[in-house]
Every structure is written in structure tokens, then in C-alpha cells.
Amino acid sequence: MDDNDYLREMEGKSAHDPYTKSAVVAGPLIVGAGPSGLAAAACLKERGVPSLVIERSSCIASLWQLKTYDRLKLHLPKQFCELPLMAFPADFPTYPDKQQFVSYLEAYAARFEIRPVFNQAVISAEYDEKLQMWRVRTEAAEYVCRWLIVATGENAEAVVPGIEGMGEFGGSVVHTSGYKSGAVYEGKRVLVVGCGNSGMEVCLDLCNHNARPSLVVRDTVHILPREMMGRSTFGLSMWLLKWLPMRLVDRFLLVSSWLVLGDTARYGLDRPRVGPLELKSLSGKTPVLDVGTLDKIKSGDIKICPGIQRLWYKSAEFVDGRVENYDAIILATGYKSNVPCWLKKSEMFCEKDGLPKRPFPNCWKGECGLYAVGFTKRGLLGASIDAKNIAADIASSWKQTISPPKYSPNFMQKHL
């Protein structure tokens, strides 16, 4: 097939295509206007590379704005959560709350003149070998770009486990993405499934609103104090890792946690055999930073339960044979990537979990101008590292004298 035949084929497809418009993007196209996508756009702009950000929701940082609970604060000190090129305001507390973090992101977007195109849920993205460009389709448009940056992150879709009898329960069942406050659960018996940072915080919030929460703990879990020796546990760990091997730092954290928190196994919270930092490095599983939940567990205000065998009407049967009555269930079962649903024929991402196949710190670059930001399992700090690497890599191609693509942007704009 020669070039003209290929263009005629494209024109024929366009004539029967429901998409109303096509746009050729001069620089990279960034999918996702969360912190990772904003960081990538800002780093590119700093290097003189224009980009276009598209977002499926109606606002930036939609996970933070639309799917988080009211009492949420950053789990790490602000200096470890700031995006590249702009620090948090000096008058912000050490652990900014949800509203403060969103205001920081809005100021960040304004400073770097990042204006996402909203309500653009991506249906498919595929590399066009003939054009040597990426073709990204949403419900409203098609975007053609040389560089595609995936910034939809590790938390794009809620994980809802299939628990036997869920349909028979009869009470409220909600994922933490739909939980706002414990106020609506006052006086109710609530079963929280999942013992990560979200599950622990939701239990504390429920206690503060006079609910009666129980927490399902199926696996081992590392619980660390949020601060020790007058410093944040995370900051102290990062400092110690400069001088000591990871296993020694893990031993220090475990001994210090035992002195501050006591033996968590006494309360049904067994620790993994692998230390918290090593476990994070191997599996991405984050230790729980305690903000007061453990005291409520010790006092009996929060009950610890084993795994669920099945649900019955307004009750749960556990693997140890116990049956308890509940009015509501909150699923603190996390999130997952949705990249395999729309990114076609890519060798960069794993089909099973939607994460890059290559581990950190080499997970940011794929094939044919494909990049990923915010998939490091290292939070905002990891996303910032990705954003800087991606901007430097694209800027080097942007500024070099390189051969043009098969068709010029103007030519494609005319024929797409």
C-alpha cells in the first residue's frame, strides 16, 4: 500500500467514524490531570516543550477532590510531597489536609499555565506505524501525537473484592472512594475491610463520630508511629538510608516502633517477617503510619476481625466461624491501574496489573515515544522523579535536529 492508498483508507474510516474532530498535538499528550500529569506538564514547560493534558473528569486531581474522605491529610511531611519547581506555602502545616493540597495543585497548574481539556475519557490509544505517531481516542475527539505520557496512575479504579453473599447483606456497602465522613454512621455497627492507611483512618473517623467499627485484618501489617525522636518516621528513614543498609534501618524502625507502640501482635496485628522498608521495596506495600487508630484498638473501641468467609443478611461470618451483626460495610480495599483497558499493543505495561513491567527507577520510559509517570509505588516523590526524567528525555529530542515524521502536522491535520 502506498502513501496515497493509506490516506484514502484513513479518509474512508473517518467518514464512518463517530468521532467529531481530530487534533494533532505539537508536543506530548498527557493522559491524566492528577499530580503526576501536572508535574510532567510543568517540567516540560520549564524546558520549553509545550504539552496538552486531557482528563476524564471535570477537574484536576479528581481522586483527591471527588473520591477521598474529609479528614484526609498527607501521610508524609509536605517537603516529601511537593511537585517539581514549586514548594508548598511556608504557612502550610507539616501535614497539609485535603483542601490545602488541592489548593496547592490548583496554584501549581495556574503558575505553569496548565489548562487541561476536561471530560475526555480515553477509549483507546494505539501507535500508528504508518504515521509513526500515537492515536488517542476519546468519546469526543481523536488526538494524534508523537509522544504519549500515561499519567492515569496506580489509583485509577476502585478495587471491589468479590465476597460471597454480598448481594444478600441488605445494608450499605461502600468503597472508600465513596466515603466522606463517619457522621452518617453514628451509632451503627460498621465493618471496615482492609487494614492499610485508609482502612485505619476510616476506623478512627468512625470512632470520632460515635460509630462502632470492626476492622478486617487478613494479612500481616507493619504499623509505625508517624513520628519518632521528634522527626517524621519517613524523613528519619530516608536520612538513615544514606549511611546504613536497608536491613539495619528496618531493625531500627521495628525496635523503635515496639518501644513507642508496644507489641501490635497482642491486638491481632501480626508483623511481616520482612522489614517495612524491604517489604515496600519488594512489593510496594506501604506500612501504616499510625495517627491514633492503634490506641482505639487497644481500648477496644475498634475490634479486630479475621478474614470474611461470607456475608449473610446484616451479618458477616468470619474464617474462624464467628458470626457478627453489622449495619454497614466499608471497603478499604484500594485501587488499581486501568491502563490495559485503553492502551493497545504496548510492551511497556503488564496486562495483569496495569503497571510498567520494568521496576523503579526505570519504569518511566517505554517504546515509540511512550512514557509513564506516577507508577513507581513511591507516591508523589516517585512521580516527581519520573516527571523530571521524562521532560529531560523529550526535551533532548525536541531540541535536536531530527528527521520529521512520515507526514507533517499540517498535512495530517488536513487529512485526518
Side-chain angles (χ1 to χ4, degrees):
M1 180 185 293
D2 62 23
D3 294 350
N4 289 330
D5 289 337
Y6 182 68
L7 285 173
R8 280 195 293 271
E9 180 182 324
M10 289 172 63
E11 288 171 351
K13 290 179 179 178
S14 297
H16 299 90
D17 203 308
Y19 299 95
T20 57
K21 60 181 180 179
S22 296
V24 178
V25 182
L29 178 69
I30 302 172
V31 180
S36 298
L38 298 179
C43 289
L44 286 164
K45 184 177 180 64
E46 185 73 5
R47 290 179 173 271
V49 180
S51 64
L52 176 66
V53 181
I54 60 174
E55 164 61 40
R56 66 178 177 178
S57 298
S58 58
C59 60
I60 66 168
S62 60
L63 180 65
W64 278 85
Q65 296 208 57
L66 306 177
K67 298 182 179 181
T68 52
Y69 41 92
D70 295 341
R71 66 159 284 132
L72 180 63
K73 293 184 179 181
L74 293 178
H75 292 129
L76 303 181
K78 60 183 179 181
Q79 64 266 30
F80 298 109
C81 299
E82 62 189 27
L83 301 186
L85 308 171
M86 181 173 148
F88 279 93
D91 60 347
F92 271 29
T94 303
Y95 301 95
D97 62 27
K98 170 182 172 178
Q99 290 74 25
Q100 289 169 324
F101 184 59
V102 170
S103 70
Y104 165 75
L105 295 177
E106 290 173 339
Y108 189 87
R111 174 173 173 176
F112 295 101
E113 300 179 324
I114 304 168
R115 301 181 182 89
V117 182
F118 295 115
N119 302 309
Q120 295 289 309
V122 174
I123 297 172
S124 68
E126 189 169 1
Y127 188 71
D128 190 316
E129 294 285 354
K130 189 73 174 182
L131 289 178
Q132 297 178 8
M133 305 281 273
W134 287 92
R135 304 184 71 168
V136 181
R137 290 190 166 188
T138 71
E139 293 180 354
E142 179 182 49
Y143 299 90
V144 182
C145 57
R146 186 165 188 172
W147 300 279
L148 175 61
I149 301 175
V150 179
T152 48
E154 305 155 351
N155 302 319
E157 304 292 343
V159 173
V160 178
I163 303 174
E164 186 181 354
M166 185 87 81
E168 303 172 32
F169 179 66
S172 168
V173 180
V174 63
H175 188 271
T176 47
S177 59
Y179 175 90
K180 295 301 179 185
S181 168
V184 298
Y185 297 96
E186 183 176 359
K188 294 183 178 180
R189 299 160 299 183
V190 184
L191 183 63
V192 179
V193 182
C195 61
N197 279 296
S198 293
M200 290 285 193
E201 272 202 66
V202 165
C203 278
L204 181 60
D205 190 50
L206 289 166
C207 281
N208 292 340
H209 287 91
N210 299 315
R212 292 179 284 167
S214 297
L215 179 64
V216 172
V217 180
R218 295 189 309 161
D219 303 314
T220 54
V221 58
H222 277 303
I223 301 178
L224 307 176
R226 187 169 68 170
E227 296 182 343
M228 56 176 66
M229 300 174 63
R231 300 181 60 177
S232 78
T233 300
F234 181 81
L236 183 60
S237 301
M238 295 300 101
W239 182 79
L240 288 173
L241 285 173
K242 294 180 180 179
W243 316 103
L244 300 172
M246 184 180 291
R247 290 195 176 184
L248 278 182
V249 178
D250 269 340
R251 288 181 187 176
F252 168 81
L253 291 175
L254 292 175
V255 170
S256 300
S257 296
W258 186 84
L259 291 173
V260 175
L261 303 176
D263 181 10
T264 59
R266 291 179 56 193
Y267 308 100
L269 301 165
D270 295 321
R271 291 190 181 276
R273 292 187 176 184
V274 178
L277 297 182
E278 187 177 0
L279 184 63
K280 174 69 174 174
S281 177
L282 292 173
S283 69
K285 187 175 181 180
T286 303
V288 172
L289 296 175
D290 182 55
V291 293
T293 308
L294 192 58
D295 283 341
K296 297 291 186 180
I297 293 173
K298 291 177 180 179
S299 67
D301 292 319
I302 299 172
K303 295 181 180 179
I304 300 299
C305 303
I308 300 173
Q309 183 69 36
R310 65 157 296 150
L311 297 175
W312 301 97
Y313 179 74
K314 293 291 185 75
S315 65
E317 179 183 341
F318 299 101
V319 292
D320 61 0
R322 232 180 342 135
V323 177
E324 300 282 352
N325 296 326
Y326 296 101
D327 301 300
I329 296 174
I330 298 172
L331 302 173
T333 45
Y335 295 84
K336 64 181 180 181
S337 164
N338 68 358
V339 174
C341 298
W342 54 269
L343 184 62
K344 310 301 180 184
K345 300 178 183 178
S346 168
E347 294 298 319
M348 183 179 185
F349 287 86
C350 177
E351 282 291 324
K352 184 177 180 180
D353 60 14
L355 302 177
K357 295 177 181 178
R358 299 176 68 185
F360 179 84
N362 301 310
C363 55
W364 56 275
K365 186 175 181 180
E367 74 280 4
C368 304
L370 179 64
Y371 297 89
V373 56
F375 292 87
T376 64
K377 294 187 177 180
R378 284 163 174 77
L380 295 167
L381 193 60
S384 295
I385 294 171
D386 283 347
K388 293 173 184 177
N389 287 334
I390 292 169
D393 194 65
I394 293 178
S396 65
S397 299
W398 182 264
K399 294 176 181 179
Q400 287 174 2
T401 303
I402 54 176
S403 59
K406 184 73 176 176
Y407 305 105
S408 69
N410 287 339
F411 192 74
M412 287 189 296
Q413 187 72 65
K414 179 180 177 181
H415 288 280
L416 278 174

